[in-house]
Amino acid sequence: MRIGHGYDVHRFCEGDHVMLGGVRIEHAEGLAAHSDGDVVLHALCDALLGAIGAGDIGRHFPDDDPAWAGADSRDLLRRVVTQVQAAGFILGNADLTVVAQAPRLAAHIGTMVERIAADCGVDPGAVNVKATTTEGLGFCGRREGIAAHAVVLLLPAGP
Ligand code: MG
């Protein structure tokens, strides 16, 4: 078995929606990024890459490479999952935490789980997404940005 951890942050900027866990959520601001700024999927990609000892998302999809400008993070995730499979592993389970004072995420969690599970090729029961505020404390609490944590367990792929 292999374990991996990922963490990502993007700051708010002008905009009218955020992408979180592969879901478009209307919001008074956007998230500044070279890609679509999906911190949840970026943290998950980093956890998966970490678990197979393959560095991080910045190494595979550099933010100074025009090829990844405005990238759909679900596409990045599927590419990372392909690498996980090539390394001989499958996702056992993923546990993800989104840290955001706003927007409210409860209504979107189920769709995030469905999309992440589909992109990882696993049952939705293997993916858990939860959201927390920071009670107004710190950069997330001041609504300066959104953070996400990811932990994954990889299992050897069957013969
Ligand atoms: Mg990122």
Side-chain angles (χ1 to χ4, degrees), residues 3 7 12 24 36 42-43 54 62 70 81 87 92 106 118 123 129 132 136 141-142 157:
I3 192 167
Y7 175 67
F12 282 122
R24 180 189 166 106
D36 63 10
H42 294 180
V81 169
D123 189 272
V129 178
T132 185
R142 292 189 298 269

Side-chain angles (χ1 to χ4, degrees), residues 8-10 39 42:
D8 194 33
V9 173
H10 282 275
V39 288
H42 294 180

Side-chain angles (χ1 to χ4, degrees), residues 49-103:
L49 289 168
I52 60 169
D56 60 35
I57 193 171
R59 185 169 116 192
H60 295 271
F61 314 109
D63 64 8
D64 57 357
D65 183 342
W68 308 114
D72 176 351
S73 294
R74 292 187 68 188
D75 178 48
L76 304 185
L77 173 58
R78 289 189 288 261
R79 290 168 185 265
V80 167
V81 169
T82 299
Q83 289 191 48
V84 168
Q85 291 166 343
F89 292 95
I90 57 165
L91 178 64
N93 75 296
D95 189 20
L96 313 174
T97 303
V98 194
V99 185
Q101 200 68 37

Side-chain angles (χ1 to χ4, degrees), residues 44 48 90-95 122 125-128 151-155:
L44 176 56
L48 291 166
I90 57 165
L91 178 64
N93 75 296
D95 189 20
V122 298
V127 177
N128 191 72
V151 175
V152 300
L153 185 72
L154 302 186
L155 304 173

